Amino acid sequence: MTAANLSHLPVQDSDVSRRTPVASQGLSRDTLALSGGLLVDPATKAIAPNISMSVNNVLMPGEGSFSADGVDDLTALPFLYARWTNPTVRQLEQRIAALEGADDAVATSTGVAAIGATFLTFLKTGDHLIISDVCYAGANELARRILPDYGIEVTPVNMSRPHEVAAAFRPNTKLVHCESPCNPILRLTDLSAVAGLVRSHGALMSVDSTLATPVATQPLSFGADLVIHSLTKFINGHGDALGGVVCGRKDLVEKIRSRAGVYLGASMPAMNAWLIMRGIDTLFPRLRTISATATKVAAFLEDHPAVTAVTYPGLASHPQHDLAKRQMEVFGGIVTFQVKEPGRMALQLAERLKVAHYAFSLGHQRSIVVLLDTDEMMSTTYQLATEQLEDYRRFAGDGVFRLSVGLEAPGDLIGDLDQALAG
């Protein structure tokens, strides 16, 4: 079977549903979190998604080798091989696309794989990338350390200042990568303003919306071309499965799937897709609960004598609070705070915390806090100087504690933080 013949493979009955557009019109996103892309098993009538662990699927009569070359839309074919498409992963893609108001989505093994797939699909030697100077460390380091090795120019910019974004464009700028709120300092990007600049220069705009989730923000509605999530975080919400996803127009998503999705080997395992779909079932009530708790915790920390500064988009003290109100339906589950002696306090929190946990990562059902030392972040990841470093320090000081709020009772979490910070 040749690549040219792949598109003529008969469609099997069990494949039809995955090519049927999700019936999203008239349904709220709360409902789509439960039903977007959902397929009731035709044999058993099971409602919970099946886990298809098979690497390969039976083909119709005919044999020989096949390749992805020349196939525009791999999801238009019967399921062939799990590295290309998998029934369980496909349901996940359809559900997230519905939540983001996107035509389609492609899932990857991790969040950084989704970012890498986007970069390596739309950038080539001689192209120029504009990236937020503060964003997820994996994205920042990939862009600034690896992409230049392949002849791709990279300019880090403070995305909270549209005039600086405008000044960074070059004739060869192909992609602008934003993150809002950005990890770890919770600075926001005015997505509509940046999207207008990107359109005027004929480039593409990708937004890492991991901290916001579709509950807070739908970047496509503000003019972005692609939305990226680390599914490992709030969308999965249970700290037990890695994953990433890119959502957007079908033609853009298919370029990523047929290029990076096939040849980079960063496919999502079916079990991870199933676990993440389980997490999405409760995404909206989880994020609303977490955001409500985070608001209470942020207010408590602002008044705590051991705390010198708090950053949370839902606080009036956040320098972009008005933008947050326009761009976010809820304010998210990440709160950052500063203290006078961050190194000493890190040891104290690690020893004293009983409800929250001192650990890396974020977006889980349990609260997690960790110190991100500014000097260390500069030497290992961001390497900012002059005005960019000054702006980072306005949000982080000598070091910022990133608190990922979980599902604990607000009073229990506040009490735990209070006793851990005391003295």
Side-chain angles (χ1 to χ4, degrees), residues 174-412:
K174 301 299 182 184
L175 180 67
V176 176
H177 181 71
C178 312
E179 185 174 341
S180 188
C182 70
N183 183 9
I185 61 174
L186 304 184
R187 197 174 63 196
L188 306 181
T189 297
D190 186 331
L191 299 178
S192 293
V194 173
L197 291 171
V198 172
R199 282 194 301 272
S200 69
H201 286 83
L204 292 175
M205 175 180 175
S206 59
V207 178
D208 186 334
S209 195
T210 296
L211 298 195
T213 80
V215 181
T217 307
Q218 287 181 301
L220 297 181
S221 69
F222 292 93
D225 297 291
L226 296 165
V227 184
I228 298 172
H229 291 284
S230 171
L231 300 177
T232 312
K233 310 303 192 300
F234 286 108
I235 289 181
N236 174 42
H238 291 75
D240 55 10
L242 294 169
V245 72
V246 188
C247 314
R249 292 201 321 264
K250 191 168 185 62
D251 63 316
L252 299 178
V253 172
E254 284 311 317
K255 285 182 180 178
I256 297 172
R257 189 189 307 277
S258 62
R259 186 179 176 92
V262 170
Y263 298 114
L264 295 185
S267 305
M268 174 181 284
M271 178 61 76
N272 289 35
W274 187 89
L275 288 168
I276 293 166
M277 277 192 284
R278 171 217 53 190
I280 294 176
D281 283 345
T282 60
L283 176 62
F284 279 78
R286 272 194 298 106
L287 259 292
R288 287 174 180 143
T289 297
I290 286 171
S291 294
T293 300
T295 300
K296 295 177 182 178
V297 170
F300 155 76
L301 290 171
E302 270 201 316
D303 291 333
H304 198 283
V307 175
T308 59
V310 178
T311 302
Y312 182 64
L315 291 176
S317 59
H318 191 291
Q320 298 169 291
H321 181 59
D322 289 341
L323 174 60
K325 290 190 291 185
R326 296 197 307 270
Q327 201 165 269
M328 303 177 74
E329 293 185 27
V330 298
F331 297 116
I334 304 296
V335 179
T336 68
F337 62 94
Q338 300 171 47
V339 300
K340 291 182 179 178
E341 299 179 65
R344 179 190 64 80
M345 185 60 74
L347 292 173
Q348 184 170 311
L349 292 180
E351 292 172 352
R352 292 187 182 181
L353 287 172
K354 297 178 175 61
V355 175
H357 301 266
Y358 191 86
F360 279 104
S361 197
L362 55 92
H364 303 170
Q365 73 273 44
R366 299 178 182 87
S367 293
I368 297 171
V369 64
V370 72
L371 171 65
L372 300 173
D373 180 83
T374 295
D375 287 342
E376 183 178 351
M377 296 299 292
M378 291 306 112
S379 64
T380 61
T381 298
Y382 297 122
Q383 301 174 341
L384 304 178
T386 62
E387 189 175 350
Q388 287 183 324
L389 178 57
E390 290 176 8
D391 190 77
Y392 184 95
R393 285 188 173 276
R394 275 192 281 270
F395 285 85
D398 292 333
V400 66
F401 285 90
R402 183 184 64 195
L403 171 62
S404 174
V405 175
L407 291 170
E408 300 90 354
D412 292 338

Side-chain angles (χ1 to χ4, degrees), residues 131-133 156-162 164-165 187 388 391:
I131 189 169
S132 177
D133 62 353
V157 173
N158 185 335
M159 290 283 174
S160 70
R161 300 172 179 172
E164 293 188 12
V165 180
R187 197 174 63 196
Q388 287 183 324
D391 190 77

Side-chain angles (χ1 to χ4, degrees), residues 408-422:
E408 300 90 354
D412 292 338
L413 182 56
I414 288 172
D416 191 38
L417 289 169
D418 192 23
Q419 64 83 25
L421 288 165

